Amino acid sequence: MTDKELEKRAKKEVSHTGAEQMVDAGSAYSPDVDIYLSEDELLLAADLPGVEKGDVNIEIDESNSLVIKAKTTLKETDKAVYKQFNVGNYYRAFQISDEFDKDKVAATLENGLLEVRIPKREEAKPKRIAINA
């Protein structure tokens, strides 16, 4: 592996306007998110290390903006010899299309991995057409 392949991605700080509702901009980070799309649903998987279930807030507003806000329980130590992990709160927002049913969103958080599942509306799912002989 090359040094570039081994290089860890740094967390991106969220701009002040996006995270000011939750925390000051200096301590809010944009978590890494993987997005998967199937015939039935949209799955967002977000890395939220140090976050407990009661410290995550997920909302979808009238304009179909899905917002994830999370507060970490981890504390930074002053005695770090080498540091690659930033401690802070998280903020991320996504625009969801009308093909998804925002009333049936389900989320789980386990071992720092948040999974948000948004099913497609029935009328948006692909339909099989039977061929008659």
Side-chain angles (χ1 to χ4, degrees):
M1 276 190 184
T2 67
D3 288 340
K4 188 171 185 171
E5 291 172 327
L6 294 173
E7 185 177 310
K8 182 173 171 45
R9 265 191 308 185
K11 289 184 186 178
K12 295 178 186 171
E13 287 190 17
V14 176
S15 67
H16 182 63
T17 56
E20 64 187 2
Q21 302 165 17
M22 181 184 69
V23 292
D24 65 279
S27 62
Y29 297 99
S30 179
D32 291 334
V33 176
D34 293 335
I35 300 174
Y36 303 93
L37 181 61
S38 71
E39 288 184 6
D40 298 323
E41 70 180 2
L42 179 73
L43 168 65
L44 288 94
D47 288 331
L48 300 176
V51 174
E52 302 292 329
K53 288 182 185 177
D55 294 329
V56 178
N57 184 19
I58 303 168
E59 299 174 355
I60 298 182
D61 63 17
E62 319 73 50
S63 65
N64 287 349
S65 292
L66 178 126
V67 177
I68 300 170
K69 298 177 187 177
K71 294 183 181 180
T72 184
T73 56
L74 294 175
K75 302 292 181 210
E76 268 192 83
T77 62
D78 294 333
K79 299 181 181 184
V81 175
Y82 182 75
K83 187 174 169 192
Q84 285 189 315
F85 182 83
N86 294 317
V87 175
N89 297 313
Y90 300 96
Y91 178 94
R92 194 78 188 256
F94 301 91
Q95 192 65 35
I96 306 297
S97 76
D98 288 331
E99 72 181 298
F100 298 99
D101 191 346
K102 67 181 185 179
D103 295 324
K104 295 183 180 176
V105 177
T108 59
L109 177 66
E110 190 172 328
N111 296 324
L113 178 64
L114 174 69
E115 291 186 351
V116 180
R117 295 179 182 276
I118 309 169
K120 284 188 178 178
R121 293 179 321 165
E122 286 301 318
E123 54 272 13
K125 291 182 182 178
K127 307 267 189 288
R128 290 203 179 251
I129 309 296
I131 299 174
N132 297 323

